[in-house]
């Protein structure tokens, strides 16, 4: 609120009871200019106010201000402020006028008193408005009322309470655009509309009211501060016009209804926020309990795991440190948990793997999970190969890296043993190939001699000797072919083999096989 331009008068009085400040509204009311203001005793403006100021506490007083022959009734609220006093002066003249007008309406003051009492106790707007309408209907001859709730964002008003029309007719009045009909017009301009002698009016805004048979109609905006909460309107089918005192009575009642509606909306909003807050608190409590449970389970798994597990923390992009290590890490590296927590994480990484760890640190936040093989350095200086599974997590503004390490010593030893065995096997195989190649060459020389002598004997021999000589020749040829096959096999292993396509005589091969095997079959009676 801006006190300089406020409709209420603000006056600051010093300890000497002289005026130190007065806003524009006060100056206009008292008829003084800025040049005349400085040092004016407040008693010149408000005689007798020194008694109320002398009480040195918050208080109120009533005064009648005469200016240019006109009297204004003022209510003054006095607030001590350090060594000064602040006077908030409100013109209550119009209120007294309304009060007089209300008193002119028979039964109006009684209704106002009852409305005020009900406003303080009411929790349901419809119950209040229905009761209010019933009383006003008897007093003012009313037949209908509408109560709309405004939606400034959608520029629409929605009917929430009514009386005097049926449900089917109410559907036609359920929602109005800003500017539509009387109620939409009032919500848009935030101004009261009083319509008398409606049947004779050609105003298009009154057309829908006219169709209901209404002859006089009053619609008021319900305002809280500068915001339109809705509208409240009353109409009569039996009367042609409302009297001035009746219009003031309705205006005063609408102001009271606006206050209670504002209070109800505030209460509803507070209840909604309270329910949302309670729900959020319950959810947080449930999450907290779940977090405690998960944290307990995590710690159990963390500290009982056979795999080495480390939790590295990096707060606000500061230097990382070991937040937690389990027993497997202590056993693997030979450091105590306290010693590790005082060391930078890179201190246990072998120098040749430092660049890999730097790369991991730069990319882990994007990747979230990574796996890398490095070597750790134990307390005694021994290097051990490890496989690191790293995951990135965020909690309460900090970044945590969960590292699960597996000792690769046995696996690396097994892999090395396999490599050595493979080398030994390749050496043995090479030696075998060389031996076979050498033996084949050594056996081929005597076989060639045997084959040559067998062929010479076969040319001159006859009968049984010729037959046996042919067998020797065939066996020698077979053995020579076997030796050639061995040499071809050795050539395959050495990568020196050559494959040649040659035509063969199947009949000759079959006869050769038959002759070579027949004696063996005969000896076994086959």
């Amino acid at each position: 609120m801006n006190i300089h331009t406020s409709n209420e008068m603000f006056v600051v009085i010093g300890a000497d009871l002289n005026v130190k400040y007065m806003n524009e509204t006060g100056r206009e009311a008292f008829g003084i200019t800025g040049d005349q203001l400085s040092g004016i005793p407040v008693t010149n403006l408000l005689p007798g106010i020194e008694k109320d100021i002398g009480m040195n506490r918050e208080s109120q007083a009533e005064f009648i201000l005469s200016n240019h022959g006109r009297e204004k009734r003022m209510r003054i609220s006095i607030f001590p402020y350090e060594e000064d006093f602040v006077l908030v002066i409100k013109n209550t003249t119009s209120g007294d006028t309304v009060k007089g007008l209300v008193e002119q309406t028979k039964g109006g003051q009684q209704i106002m008193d009852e409305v005020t009492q009900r406003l303080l106790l009411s929790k349901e707007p419809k119950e209040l408005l229905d009761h209010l309408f019933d009383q006003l209907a008897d007093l003012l001859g009313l037949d209908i009322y509408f109560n709309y709730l405004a939606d400034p964002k959608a520029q629409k008003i929605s009917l929430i309470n009514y009386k005097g029309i049926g449900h089917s007719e109410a559907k036609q009045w359920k929602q109005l655009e800003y500017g539509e009909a009387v109620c939409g017009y009032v919500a848009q301009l935030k101004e009261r509309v009083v319509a008398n002698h409606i049947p004779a009016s050609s105003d298009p805004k009154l057309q829908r009211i006219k169709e209901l048979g209404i002859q006089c109609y009053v619609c008021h905006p319900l305002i809280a501060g500068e915001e339109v909460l809705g509208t409240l309107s009353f109409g009569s089918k039996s009367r042609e016009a409302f009297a001035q005192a009746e219009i003031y009575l309705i205006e005063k009642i609408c102001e009271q209804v606006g206050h209670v509606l504002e209070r109800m909306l505030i209460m509803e909003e507070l209840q909604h926020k309270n329910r949302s807050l309670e729900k959020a608190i319950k959810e947080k409590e449930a999450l907290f309990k779940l977090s405690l449970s998960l944290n307990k389970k995590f710690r159990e798994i963390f500290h009982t795991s056979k795999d080495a597990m480390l939790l590295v923390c990096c707060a606000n992009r500061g230097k990382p440190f070991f937040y937690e290590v389990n027993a497997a890490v202590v056993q693997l590296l030979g450091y105590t948990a306290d010693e590790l927590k005082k060391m930078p994480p890179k201190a246990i990484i072998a120098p040749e793997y430092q660049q890999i760890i730097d790369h991991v640190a730069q990319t882990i936040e994007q990747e979230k999970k990574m796996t890398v093989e490095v070597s750790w350095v134990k307390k005694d200086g021994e290097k051990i190969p490890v496989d690191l599974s790293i995951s990135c997590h965020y909690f309460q503004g900090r970044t945590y890296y969960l590292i699960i390490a597996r000792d690769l010593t046995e696996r690396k030893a097994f892999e090395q043993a396999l490599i050595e065995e493979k080398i030994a096997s390749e050496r043995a195989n090479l030696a075998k190939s060389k031996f076979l190649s050498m033996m084949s060459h050594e056996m081929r020389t005597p076989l060639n001699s045997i084959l040559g002598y067998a062929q010479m004997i076969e040319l001159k021999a006859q009968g049984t000797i010729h037959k046996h000589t042919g067998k020797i020749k065939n066996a020698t040829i077979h053995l020579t072919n076997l030796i050639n096959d061995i040499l071809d096999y050795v050539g395959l292993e050495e990568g020196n083999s050559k494959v040649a396509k040659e035509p063969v005589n199947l009949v000759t091969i079959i006869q050769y096989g038959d002759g070579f095997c027949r004696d063996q079959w005969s000896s076994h009676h086959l």
Side-chain angles (χ1 to χ4, degrees), residues 336-347:
T336 66
D338 290 337
E339 287 175 333
L340 285 168
K341 290 180 180 180
K342 294 176 182 178
M343 297 167 54
K346 290 178 69 173

Side-chain angles (χ1 to χ4, degrees), residues 449-462 465-470 472:
S449 299
I450 293 171
L451 179 60
Y453 281 110
Q455 289 175 340
M456 290 174 62
I457 295 171
E458 186 180 26
L459 291 174
K460 297 180 179 182
Q462 294 180 357
I465 294 175
H466 183 273
K467 179 180 179 181
H468 289 302
T469 301
I472 292 171

Side-chain angles (χ1 to χ4, degrees), residues 75-340:
R75 180 182 293 113
I76 304 176
S77 298
I78 304 170
F79 302 95
Y81 179 72
E82 296 181 354
E83 296 181 355
D84 299 331
F85 297 89
V86 178
L87 310 185
V88 182
I89 307 172
K90 186 175 182 179
N91 187 350
T92 60
T93 306
S94 60
D96 292 338
T97 303
V98 172
K99 183 177 179 181
L101 289 169
V102 169
E103 289 174 349
Q104 294 175 21
T105 306
K106 186 178 180 181
Q109 186 59 47
Q110 180 181 353
I111 292 176
M112 282 299 304
D113 293 341
E114 188 172 345
V115 165
T116 302
Q117 184 178 4
R118 281 184 170 271
L119 283 172
L120 297 173
L121 302 175
S122 177
K123 294 182 180 180
E124 293 294 334
K126 182 169 178 55
E127 178 186 347
L128 168 69
L129 292 174
D130 285 350
H131 179 79
L132 175 63
F133 175 76
D134 291 339
Q135 286 190 303
L136 288 175
D138 294 337
L139 180 67
L140 305 178
L142 302 179
D143 298 289
I144 195 170
Y145 89 88
F146 294 112
N147 177 212
Y148 282 90
L149 193 64
D151 183 356
K153 291 183 179 179
Q155 294 286 289
K156 294 180 180 180
I157 56 175
S158 300
L159 185 64
I160 56 172
N161 300 303
Y162 63 91
K163 207 165 186 180
I165 59 173
H167 293 297
S168 58
E169 290 179 299
K171 290 180 180 179
Q172 301 174 13
W173 294 78
K174 186 176 181 180
Q175 198 169 67
L176 298 175
E177 301 282 346
Y178 270 23
E180 182 182 359
V182 177
C183 294
Y185 177 82
V186 169
Q188 184 180 43
L189 298 185
K190 304 179 185 179
E191 295 179 355
R192 178 190 70 183
V193 168
V194 178
N196 292 321
H197 308 289
I198 293 176
S201 174
S202 59
D203 190 339
K205 296 191 299 294
L206 301 175
Q207 184 60 36
R208 297 187 67 175
I209 294 294
K210 189 185 296 186
E211 292 173 358
L212 295 176
I214 302 298
Q215 295 197 55
C216 58
Y217 189 71
V218 177
C219 182
H220 274 272
L222 302 177
I223 298 177
E226 296 182 357
E227 183 182 355
V228 176
L229 303 178
T231 64
L232 179 61
S233 56
F234 300 93
S236 175
K237 296 180 180 180
S238 58
R239 301 183 53 182
E240 293 184 352
F242 290 116
Q244 187 66 24
E246 294 170 339
I247 293 173
Y248 273 113
L249 172 63
I250 293 174
E251 179 182 2
K252 201 66 176 177
I253 289 173
C254 288
E255 288 179 2
Q256 296 278 30
V257 171
H259 294 324
V260 75
L261 183 59
E262 179 186 13
R263 188 194 71 182
M264 288 178 176
L265 291 174
I266 292 173
M267 289 297 295
E268 184 179 347
E269 183 179 358
L270 289 175
Q271 289 172 358
H272 175 70
K273 288 183 177 179
N274 188 48
R275 287 193 296 268
S276 300
L277 183 60
E278 288 177 353
K279 183 179 178 181
I281 290 172
K282 288 180 180 179
E283 289 176 352
K284 282 192 175 182
E285 288 176 348
L287 287 173
F288 180 70
K289 291 179 181 178
L290 178 61
S291 176
L292 289 177
S293 175
L294 292 175
N295 187 43
K296 183 179 179 182
K297 291 180 180 178
F298 171 76
R299 287 187 173 274
E300 289 176 358
I301 296 171
F302 185 88
H303 289 288
T304 58
S305 174
K306 293 182 179 180
D307 290 326
M309 298 181 70
L310 311 94
L311 198 59
V312 176
C313 177
C314 188
N316 299 323
R317 298 190 177 275
K319 293 182 178 180
F321 61 92
F322 287 119
Y323 183 79
E324 197 70 68
V325 296
N326 69 352
V329 176
V330 173
Q331 184 178 1
L332 187 62
L333 294 175
Y335 293 100
T336 66
D338 290 337
E339 287 175 333
L340 285 168

Side-chain angles (χ1 to χ4, degrees), residues 476-500:
T476 302
I477 293 172
H478 177 67
L479 187 56
T480 301
N481 290 335
L482 287 176
I483 290 172
N484 290 333
D485 289 342
I486 291 172
L487 291 173
D488 290 340
Y489 174 73
V490 172
L492 282 172
E493 289 187 338
E494 293 178 351
N496 298 324
S497 61
K498 295 182 180 179
V499 179

Side-chain angles (χ1 to χ4, degrees), residues 366-487:
Q366 288 78 28
E367 300 292 335
K368 301 302 180 185
K369 291 183 180 180
M370 294 186 71
T371 302
V372 62
E373 286 189 15
V374 298
S375 287
W376 278 356
V377 181
K378 297 173 64 174
K379 189 174 183 179
D380 59 8
E382 179 187 354
K383 293 182 181 180
I384 52 173
V386 289
D387 179 70
L388 304 182
S389 177
I390 309 171
S391 57
C392 181
H393 307 273
Y394 303 98
F395 182 70
Q396 293 183 347
R398 292 186 173 189
T399 304
Y400 293 87
Y401 304 98
L402 177 62
I403 304 172
I404 302 175
R406 292 195 175 182
D407 186 0
L408 300 180
T409 303
E410 292 184 1
R411 195 182 84 181
K412 292 293 184 181
F414 179 72
E415 289 175 355
Q416 185 61 34
L418 287 177
I419 292 171
E420 292 175 356
E421 288 182 7
K422 180 184 177 184
I423 293 172
S425 176
E426 289 175 349
R427 288 175 180 174
N429 192 48
L430 181 60
K432 177 200 71 176
S433 298
K434 288 182 178 180
F435 172 76
L436 289 174
S437 178
M438 181 188 68
M439 289 300 297
S440 299
H441 284 291
E442 293 297 327
M443 291 177 67
R444 181 180 289 180
T445 301
L447 284 174
N448 286 335
S449 299
I450 293 171
L451 179 60
Y453 281 110
Q455 289 175 340
M456 290 174 62
I457 295 171
E458 186 180 26
L459 291 174
K460 297 180 179 182
Q462 294 180 357
T464 305
I465 294 175
H466 183 273
K467 179 180 179 181
H468 289 302
T469 301
K471 290 181 178 180
I472 292 171
K473 183 188 72 173
N474 291 337
T476 302
I477 293 172
H478 177 67
L479 187 56
T480 301
N481 290 335
L482 287 176
I483 290 172
N484 290 333
D485 289 342
I486 291 172
L487 291 173

